[in-house]
Amino acid sequence: MLLHIITKQLKIGLIKHYEAIAKETSLPIILYNVPSRTGLNILPKTCFELSKIDNIVAIKEASGNISQVAEIANICKDDLHIYSGNDDQILPVLSLGGLGVISVLSNIAPKKASLITKNFFSGNIKDSISMQLEALPLIQALFCEVNPIPVKMALNLMGYNFGSPRLPLIDLSSSKIDLLYSFLLDTFSNTFNSSAFFIILDIIISFCLFNLLSSLIAVSYTHLRAHETCAD
């Protein structure tokens, strides 16, 4: 459950807000702490108070502050499960008692994201570390622009028709498409065959041609309207 901040909140107001929502449902609730988007950090002591509410069961922790994750784990214990909200911190959060990740990476490389956690819980820590580090370049590319712009484009490049993001978000710039594409190739180099390469290349070319055609149509329409106005 993501908190949408309209005004600065006091701790007691935040707790009452969540209490009111929790009373209206019997469904389990996962808190979502993402200060970079909401402008407010749900502090560990606030998490502790919220963990006392029966159907608040977990938190997606995306503050990026590992010390804060450790404090939440220490004071809330099993009353509030922790999931990493940052793909580049899956392993650090697991090492502090986290149960998994709510992931952007998994949309593109679900097996890789899954194996990071499975290897950790199976005791294959070395493999988990290796996969976490290997995934970092792709993770960084998936956040080269505000989420979900890059992940939508990545899925388009992989042959899935996810279209364009809704306004006010816009399509990824051509330079960042090239960057993202290069990391996709690096990530899937062992599974991409020559036909897949040309399929993705065709998608990129089609995307660029579509944007060019759309621009030409828009310009032609503008000129036509201007001509009609002059004729009137």
Side-chain angles (χ1 to χ4, degrees):
M1 184 169 64
L2 177 64
L3 181 66
H4 292 280
I5 301 301
I6 299 175
T7 58
K8 291 184 178 180
Q9 297 289 328
L10 297 174
K11 174 185 171 182
I12 187 65
L14 189 64
I15 293 170
K16 288 185 177 295
H17 172 75
Y18 281 118
E19 283 178 341
I21 294 172
K23 285 179 182 178
E24 298 300 320
T25 180
S26 60
L27 293 172
I29 293 172
I30 298 179
L31 306 174
Y32 183 10
N33 186 34
V34 55
S36 63
R37 287 181 176 260
T38 64
L40 181 77
N41 185 22
I42 304 177
L43 297 172
K45 289 182 180 179
T46 304
C47 290
F48 176 70
E49 294 300 325
L50 292 171
S51 71
K52 297 176 183 178
I53 301 171
D54 288 341
N55 56 334
I56 293 182
V57 298
I59 183 169
K60 175 184 177 181
E61 231 302 328
S63 68
N65 186 338
I66 295 299
S67 296
Q68 176 165 303
V69 175
E71 189 174 353
I72 293 170
N74 182 44
I75 64 176
C76 296
K77 299 187 168 47
D78 289 338
D79 290 330
L80 193 70
H81 299 310
I82 302 172
Y83 293 87
S84 175
N86 295 322
D87 286 308
D88 60 351
Q89 294 181 339
I90 300 173
L91 191 55
V93 172
L94 294 180
S95 71
L96 292 170
L99 296 187
V101 58
I102 300 175
S103 168
V104 173
L105 174 66
S106 61
N107 291 280
I108 304 302
K111 186 175 181 180
K112 184 180 289 289
S114 176
L115 283 175
I116 292 172
T117 57
K118 284 184 177 179
N119 279 324
F120 178 85
F121 290 123
S122 298
N124 301 321
I125 306 302
K126 186 175 180 179
D127 289 341
S128 184
I129 292 172
S130 177
M131 296 193 75
Q132 172 75 90
L133 296 178
E134 287 174 1
L136 287 179
L138 178 58
I139 292 168
Q140 291 165 358
L142 289 172
F143 288 91
C144 67
E145 188 55 85
V146 64
N147 185 52
I149 292 174
V151 71
K152 272 183 171 284
M153 180 53 66
L155 289 166
N156 287 334
L157 293 174
M158 293 173 71
Y160 303 99
N161 183 19
F162 274 77
S164 298
R166 289 180 293 181
L167 293 173
L169 302 181
I170 60 173
D171 284 316
L172 202 61
S173 67
S174 58
S175 62
K176 289 182 178 178
I177 290 175
D178 292 341
L179 172 71
L180 183 58
Y181 175 59
S182 68
F183 283 115
L184 286 173
L185 277 183
D186 288 343
T187 300
F188 299 107
S189 58
N190 293 330
T191 57
F192 272 18
N193 54 35
S194 58
S195 61
F197 171 83
F198 285 110
I199 288 171
I200 292 181
L201 183 61
D202 182 58
I203 292 169
I204 294 174
I205 294 172
S206 298
F207 176 80
C208 294
L209 288 176
F210 175 78
N211 283 343
L212 177 61
L213 183 59
S214 297
S215 299
L216 290 173
I217 292 172
V219 170
S220 298
Y221 178 76
T222 302
H223 287 171
L224 179 61
R225 292 295 296 167
H227 178 73
E228 290 176 347
T229 302
C230 290
D232 292 340

